[in-house]
Amino acid sequence: MATVDFKKVPTDVPLTVENIDLISARATELAIAFKRRLESIQRQFSDARLRYSREADEVVSESDVENREVAKKFAKQQLASKIAKFRINIEKSSRPQREEILQPLAKLAADADFLLTLYGSPAQALGRVALGEVKRTQYQLQLEGAGPVELQTAAVTAIATNDLPLAAAVVTVVDRRKRDQRPFAANEFAQQMWGKQHDEVNAKLKGVIHAYKSAVAADREFARGKADPLTNLSLAISSKAIAQASKH
């Protein structure tokens, strides 16, 4: 039997589509903010490198002709040393600014990962709609002893009127029956009723996780001193997943 560690179940993550919209929108904002922050830090590094390069050129140009080669070698060494030190210092000093965005983005990614486990299929998600509401409870009680024709009629009615509490009751009642006693497959009905929303929800949640992973990758590239730490993050923000995540 599979075991669940109930202590690890988050208690501050509403299981609603509205909350998923909020999570995806906030993740998109943070991913873009992180990109801009890295761009700002990268500009500081680029400006410093240009400044040090000009200083190195001045050292060479001001040297005597007979000492020009020695001056070039010295200037090159000094330039490399200054750039390396500046990169180390700016990586260290900017870490709190980067973490200020990465930490809440990590929390959103963890929430999205948890929610994905609860949106594994349209039937799983639909079965959770309107839990505890009187309307759904009444539907469920009425359908408990229903025959195949009555259940099929209820399913068709739910689709035609977009009655989610009725659809949730239908899925629950059908799923509780033995396979050979089900008038239709609960998953097929749920796919028709909830499939589009299910795909959108999953795209948004995966987009949040993708945004965080891309931001972490960009941060690691920056920390390692790569030439362009923004490439992967830029691609992530413009990707289909993030585009989908930003829709409301």
Side-chain angles (χ1 to χ4, degrees):
M1 178 184 295
T3 59
V4 178
D5 189 347
F6 295 109
K7 293 180 180 179
K8 292 184 178 180
V9 176
T11 58
D12 61 343
V13 186
L15 312 180
T16 63
V17 173
E18 291 76 15
N19 183 54
I20 290 171
D21 287 341
L22 290 174
I23 288 175
S24 66
R26 181 57 179 155
T28 302
E29 290 174 2
L30 288 174
I32 293 172
F34 187 74
K35 176 180 180 291
R36 290 173 178 167
R37 185 154 297 183
L38 271 189
E39 285 176 337
S40 175
I41 297 168
Q42 187 70 17
R43 279 195 298 271
Q44 295 177 51
F45 176 70
S46 297
D47 291 344
R49 183 164 50 190
L50 287 173
R51 185 171 66 254
Y52 294 147
S53 294
R54 286 194 297 268
E55 292 173 358
D57 290 341
E58 289 175 3
V59 169
V60 175
S61 64
E62 292 174 359
S63 64
D64 298 332
V65 176
E66 60 271 20
N67 296 322
R68 188 63 50 85
E69 290 305 315
V70 175
K72 284 182 179 179
K73 184 177 181 180
F74 173 77
K76 184 178 180 180
Q77 292 174 341
Q78 286 292 98
L79 175 61
S81 177
K82 286 181 179 180
I83 290 176
K85 287 180 180 179
F86 188 90
R87 190 194 69 75
I88 291 172
N89 288 335
I90 199 171
E91 191 282 324
K92 183 177 180 181
S93 64
S94 67
R95 197 173 302 159
Q97 301 172 40
R98 286 149 36 220
E99 287 296 326
E100 182 183 20
I101 298 177
L102 285 176
Q103 287 180 2
L105 189 53
K107 173 62 167 62
L108 292 175
D111 291 349
D113 191 55
F114 165 68
L115 288 168
L116 273 175
T117 66
L118 302 177
Y119 283 85
S121 69
Q124 183 185 21
L126 186 57
R128 207 170 42 250
V129 171
L131 275 175
E133 291 185 13
V134 174
K135 190 176 181 181
R136 170 176 168 166
T137 301
Q138 290 176 340
Y139 279 144
Q140 218 162 292
L141 289 173
Q142 292 170 12
L143 294 173
E144 285 295 345
V149 174
E150 189 176 355
L151 277 174
Q152 289 174 356
T153 300
V156 170
T157 301
I159 293 173
T161 60
N162 196 35
D163 191 332
L164 290 178
L166 176 57
V170 169
V171 163
T172 301
V173 171
V174 171
D175 187 60
R176 286 176 178 175
R177 297 190 175 182
K178 295 180 179 179
R179 288 187 179 276
D180 59 354
Q181 296 178 358
R182 295 174 185 172
F184 52 84
N187 282 331
E188 290 181 10
F189 166 67
Q191 180 64 41
Q192 182 64 37
M193 188 75 199
W194 189 263
K196 183 178 179 181
Q197 246 187 322
H198 180 263
D199 291 342
E200 290 175 354
V201 163
N202 271 263
K204 289 175 181 179
L205 293 174
K206 290 177 182 178
V208 171
I209 296 170
H210 187 51
Y212 172 63
K213 288 182 177 179
S214 298
V216 169
D219 187 66
R220 287 174 179 168
E221 286 188 12
F222 170 74
R224 289 197 300 265
K226 294 289 185 179
D228 184 8
L230 304 173
T231 302
N232 287 341
L233 186 59
S234 297
L235 290 174
I237 291 175
S238 63
S239 70
K240 183 177 180 180
I242 300 301
Q244 179 63 48
S246 65
K247 292 181 181 179
H248 300 287

